């Protein structure tokens, strides 16, 4: 799993840079960005489940990932209306962030502060609501920039969390 985390770190950072550099083109061709993103996120969930958990009778992300893959293909192949793509992206983002907030609350109960992650989730939800209310290129452009930030925080926040836990653990030993 450690190799996967390194690959994910490099991939997400390079993806954030590439998306930011090509953001105007990607906003114009939003269905390809969002469809591909849904498929990649979904495949990650499915593969991580398959490689780390052998059982389906416990909490897992396999089925959530499978649905994300299906939605990604629907966006790529069947959805042509720009506003519909924006709304699907926004709803998908809100659902993902709700899961993240649940995870942050669970970690907070175990003494791991996740204030920055929590705030990032709230910001994504607020911008997603604006994307639902006004699904167009302007808000999609803002959401693409937010996506770059989200890709970076997705891989850096867990590293910072581990450093915090490690430091906290060393203090508890003294």
């Amino acid at each position: 799993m450690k190799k996967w985390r390194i690959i994910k770190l490099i991939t997400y950072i390079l993806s954030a840079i590439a998306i930011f550099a090509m953001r105007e083109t990607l906003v114009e061709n939003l269905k390809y960005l969002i469809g591909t993103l849904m498929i990649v996120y979904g495949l990650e969930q499915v593969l991580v489940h398959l490689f780390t958990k052998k059982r389906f009778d416990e909490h897992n992300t396999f089925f959530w990932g499978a649905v994300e893959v299906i939605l990604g293909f629907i966006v790529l192949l069947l959805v042509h209306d720009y506003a519909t793509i924006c709304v699907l992206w926004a709803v998908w983002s809100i659902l993902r962030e709700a899961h993240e907030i649940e995870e942050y609350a669970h970690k907070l109960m175990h003494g791991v502060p996740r204030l920055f992650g929590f705030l990032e989730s709230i910001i994504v939800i607020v911008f997603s609501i604006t994307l639902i209310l006004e699904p167009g290129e302007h808000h999609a452009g803002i959401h693409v920039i937010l996506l770059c930030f989200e890709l970076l925080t997705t891989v850096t926040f867990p590293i910072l969390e581990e450093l915090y836990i490690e430091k906290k653990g060393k203090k508890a030993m003294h």
Side-chain angles (χ1 to χ4, degrees), residues 3-169:
K3 287 180 185 178
W4 171 244
R5 289 185 60 195
I6 293 169
I7 292 168
K8 185 175 176 177
L9 175 73
I10 293 167
T11 303
Y12 276 44
I13 290 172
L14 292 176
S15 296
I17 293 167
I19 289 169
F20 187 78
M22 300 184 310
R23 67 188 177 278
E24 292 174 13
T25 302
L26 291 171
V27 168
E28 292 172 8
N29 300 287
L30 195 61
K31 75 182 279 171
Y32 301 107
L33 172 64
I34 302 312
T36 303
L37 200 60
M38 287 177 165
I39 292 168
V40 169
Y41 269 62
L43 285 175
E44 179 189 3
Q45 296 294 322
V46 168
L47 293 174
V48 165
H49 170 78
L50 292 175
F51 286 116
T52 61
K53 295 185 179 190
K54 305 280 189 248
R55 298 172 44 175
F56 282 92
D57 63 343
E58 58 188 30
H59 177 72
N60 67 73
T61 58
F62 179 86
F63 298 106
W64 171 263
V67 169
E68 284 180 305
V69 171
I70 292 167
L71 280 174
F73 279 111
I74 289 171
V75 169
L76 281 175
L77 302 173
L78 301 175
V79 180
H80 304 291
D81 181 58
Y82 196 87
T84 303
I85 295 165
C86 288
V87 170
L88 285 171
W89 185 16
V91 170
W92 177 57
S93 294
I94 290 169
L95 292 172
R96 277 193 353 268
E97 294 307 324
H99 174 72
E100 291 291 320
I101 290 171
E102 177 185 7
E103 184 180 313
Y104 299 150
H106 179 73
K107 288 186 180 210
L108 182 61
M109 287 183 222
H110 290 54
V112 180
R114 293 296 303 261
L115 180 63
F116 293 120
F118 178 77
L119 291 174
E120 184 248 349
S121 290
I122 297 300
I123 290 168
V124 169
I125 290 170
V126 168
F127 277 106
S128 295
I129 291 168
T130 64
L131 191 57
I132 290 171
L133 296 175
E134 293 183 37
E137 285 191 28
H138 171 70
H139 284 137
I142 293 169
H143 220 69
V144 167
I145 293 170
L146 190 59
L147 170 63
C148 296
F149 177 72
E150 189 176 352
L151 287 169
L152 294 173
T153 60
T154 296
V155 291
T156 56
F157 282 1
I159 293 169
L160 294 174
E161 177 183 306
E162 282 181 19
L163 292 173
Y164 172 81
I165 292 169
E166 184 179 304
K167 185 176 180 179
K168 182 180 173 187

